[in-house]
Amino acid sequence: MIKIKEAVIVEGKYDKIRLSNFIDGLIITTDGFGIFKDKEKQRLIKHLADTRGILILTDSDGAGFVIRNFLKGAVSSDKIKHAYIPDISGKEKRKDKPSKEGKLGVEGISDEIIMNAISRSGAECELCEEKERTDSEITKADLFELGLTGCPNAAENRDRLKKRLSLPENMTSNSMLDVLNFIMTKQELKEIMDREVCECSK
């Protein structure tokens, strides 16, 4: 596993699934060109860039560079690291035919090549045996205890928290949990919730 400080930005869900096998860190998808119109996700990426920095890892085809350049224009250059995969001809196993340019995307590249690209990017990373779990990690049980799931006011409480943290309103509970663990500790979340006075209705 590689533990990465920065949020890793990839194009699609298959890229995210692929990287989740060996990256301990937050992985955000642009949903392809969907990022161009998704103002909430743009704000999330900017927030993550300001908080921890971002690492862009898009495909090496023309579309990948269009997305990369869009993000470069949206976030301060000193908050971005870039990982580039080489041009390798081929097709992903799940696809019937190669991409328009005939190049493998992130999901089709070997672990070794991706890890080398990340190591050359300047991102803050280190090798670890497996995803680290600590006492400061926020769990689903914590979300329940804090009134963010499983109670009548949970949706309202989540919306209030997402607004305070500039997170997309349509973000799922699981995605929110990933982001919360990336930007704060359990204690920091509890302090925020105490200030917000978000409690389940008895």
Side-chain angles (χ1 to χ4, degrees):
M1 299 293 295
I2 306 177
K3 186 180 175 98
I4 298 181
K5 174 189 173 186
E6 294 85 357
V8 181
I9 312 299
V10 296
E11 293 181 49
K13 66 178 182 179
Y14 291 104
D15 298 333
K16 180 176 180 177
I17 292 169
R18 176 81 176 77
L19 296 184
S20 295
N21 291 325
F22 61 92
I23 285 181
D24 181 0
L26 181 63
I27 304 171
I28 299 290
T29 63
T30 67
D31 300 318
F33 290 156
I35 188 65
F36 300 159
K37 295 183 178 180
D38 193 336
K39 300 300 182 184
E40 287 190 344
K41 185 161 281 189
Q42 290 175 31
R43 286 194 291 271
L44 171 62
I45 290 174
K46 289 177 184 177
H47 179 68
L48 293 172
D50 290 337
T51 306
R52 301 283 289 272
I54 61 172
L55 171 64
I56 302 176
L57 179 58
T58 56
D59 295 348
S60 58
D61 59 7
F65 275 91
V66 169
I67 294 169
R68 186 185 294 272
N69 289 331
F70 175 81
L71 294 173
K72 284 170 64 176
V75 177
S76 299
S77 60
D78 62 325
K79 301 181 185 303
I80 302 177
K81 302 286 174 58
H82 293 275
Y84 296 94
I85 61 171
D87 290 335
I88 299 177
S89 298
K91 112 183 150 52
E92 283 78 17
K93 292 180 180 179
R94 68 179 178 86
K95 296 180 179 178
D96 294 329
K97 57 183 180 180
S99 66
K100 184 177 180 181
E101 296 179 28
K103 299 175 183 177
L104 287 175
V106 170
E107 67 170 287
I109 298 294
S110 71
D111 292 1
E112 182 180 3
I113 290 175
I114 294 174
M115 291 171 72
N116 285 339
I118 292 173
S119 68
R120 292 194 301 268
S121 72
E124 293 187 35
C125 55
E126 59 182 287
L127 291 175
C128 55
E129 291 300 318
E130 57 184 22
K131 290 191 176 183
E132 297 179 9
R133 303 298 179 203
T134 66
D135 291 338
S136 64
E137 181 179 1
I138 303 163
T139 66
K140 290 184 177 181
D142 295 319
L143 297 186
F144 178 80
E145 181 183 330
L146 294 169
L148 292 166
T149 60
C151 72
N153 295 337
E156 179 183 340
N157 292 340
R158 287 196 304 273
D159 288 343
R160 189 180 303 168
L161 178 64
K162 285 184 279 190
K163 186 173 182 180
R164 179 185 177 90
L165 299 176
S166 300
L167 301 178
E169 64 179 19
N170 294 323
M171 176 178 281
T172 65
S173 296
N174 286 337
S175 295
M176 186 179 75
L177 181 61
D178 290 340
V179 173
L180 290 176
N181 271 308
F182 187 72
I183 64 177
M184 66 179 60
T185 64
K186 181 187 300 187
Q187 183 59 38
E188 288 169 337
L189 175 60
K190 286 181 177 179
E191 290 172 0
I192 288 175
M193 297 304 291
D194 285 344
R195 288 196 297 270
E196 291 292 326
V197 196
C198 293
E199 298 179 353
C200 283
S201 298
K202 302 298 182 183

